[in-house]
Amino acid sequence: MALGTATVPYEPRFDTGRICLDLLSTSHPGERLDSLMPLRAWIAGSGLVPPGTPLAHADPSWPAAFRELRGDVRRLVRGHLAVTGAGARAYGSGDEPRSYASGGDPQSHASGGDSGAYPPGGDPRAYRLALDRVNDAARLAPPAPRAVPGEGGLLLRVLAGPPGCAALLAVVARDAVELLTDPVARSALRECAGDDCPIVYLDTSRGRRRRWCSSEVCGNRERVARHRRRTAGTAAGARTRPA
């Protein structure tokens, strides 16, 4: 295995339906992008780079950059959920922007506009700043792909060179822009119904009836809790019956 190749025994989740939403899930139940090793694993698992792409050139600034974009995308997604009522937790803490491209007050980086156009329940200035930052990230060029001969003469996709952090962030930012501006796709955004689970996913199930980020995780937890409640109720009823 090449040094820095992203095949690390971490278990990031990739079940939200979109790469930008997969990035949001990396902060639950705890921080998963706190160092380079898990970030490399996430980059490989998410499909941002072809399998086996070396990432040894990634430096310690990368995790903070991905966490910062995560916070901006989260604010935009939460804003959409606040407007549509599809999420119980409109705005959450955890990934507030900590730095700005040229310093100064955040207001100086936000474009003008009617404050009434912003989602309810949040800070319009922070929302606009997040929007500007995601748009700025999306403007950059993503990693350039190349086709090379593989086994049996079939072509394989590789990258033209080592992917830069900004180029990888551009892929995620573009996915967020496409998701949140597509009326059909964004109408499928849902927040997990599990207790204390903030994961947002794309509900593409028949009839749009999916309730959980994962049936095996939150869905199973709810089924176990429901069974315990029924068992406790049956036992309590039995104790109160007259002999």
Side-chain angles (χ1 to χ4, degrees), residues 210-229:
R210 179 178 169 185
R211 296 187 58 203
W212 319 108
C213 63
S214 168
S215 179
E216 291 75 22
V217 181
C218 287
N220 186 60
R221 188 179 297 125
E222 174 60 23
R223 287 188 288 271
V224 170
R226 197 160 51 226
H227 173 73
R228 288 176 177 170
R229 288 194 295 269

Side-chain angles (χ1 to χ4, degrees), residues 33-87:
L33 301 183
D34 55 355
S35 64
L36 273 173
M37 190 172 290
L39 176 61
R40 286 171 177 148
W42 186 86
I43 290 172
S46 67
L48 272 179
V49 297
T53 299
L55 295 169
H57 63 287
D59 64 54
S61 69
W62 285 36
F66 272 82
R67 292 194 302 266
E68 190 168 298
L69 178 62
R70 183 181 68 191
D72 292 330
V73 173
R74 173 175 286 122
R75 185 171 290 278
L76 300 187
V77 170
R78 292 292 177 194
H80 173 78
L81 295 177
V83 169
T84 62

Side-chain angles (χ1 to χ4, degrees), residues 148-215:
V148 298
E151 292 185 13
L154 297 177
L155 294 178
L156 300 177
R157 183 176 70 96
V158 299
L159 298 184
C165 183
L168 295 176
L169 293 175
V171 178
V172 181
R174 290 181 180 203
D175 184 59
V177 170
E178 291 169 0
L179 169 62
L180 294 172
T181 58
D182 182 337
V184 175
R186 70 190 180 197
S187 69
L189 280 170
R190 299 288 186 274
E191 185 174 27
C192 181
D195 289 341
D196 301 319
C197 181
I199 290 180
V200 178
Y201 58 87
L202 213 59
D203 183 5
T204 57
S205 65
R206 185 186 297 273
R208 299 281 175 88
R209 295 183 178 181
R210 179 178 169 185
R211 296 187 58 203
W212 319 108
C213 63
S214 168
S215 179

Side-chain angles (χ1 to χ4, degrees), residues 84-163:
T84 62
R89 293 170 284 276
Y91 289 91
S93 60
D95 294 306
E96 298 302 323
R98 294 177 174 84
S99 61
Y100 306 101
S102 58
D105 186 86
Q107 181 61 43
S108 65
H109 298 269
S111 304
D114 180 5
S115 61
Y118 300 111
D123 179 353
R125 186 176 66 171
Y127 179 88
R128 188 65 198 202
L129 173 62
L131 180 60
D132 287 347
R133 288 160 65 99
V134 170
N135 284 332
D136 286 344
R139 274 202 293 266
L140 300 178
R146 290 184 60 208
V148 298
E151 292 185 13
L154 297 177
L155 294 178
L156 300 177
R157 183 176 70 96
V158 299
L159 298 184

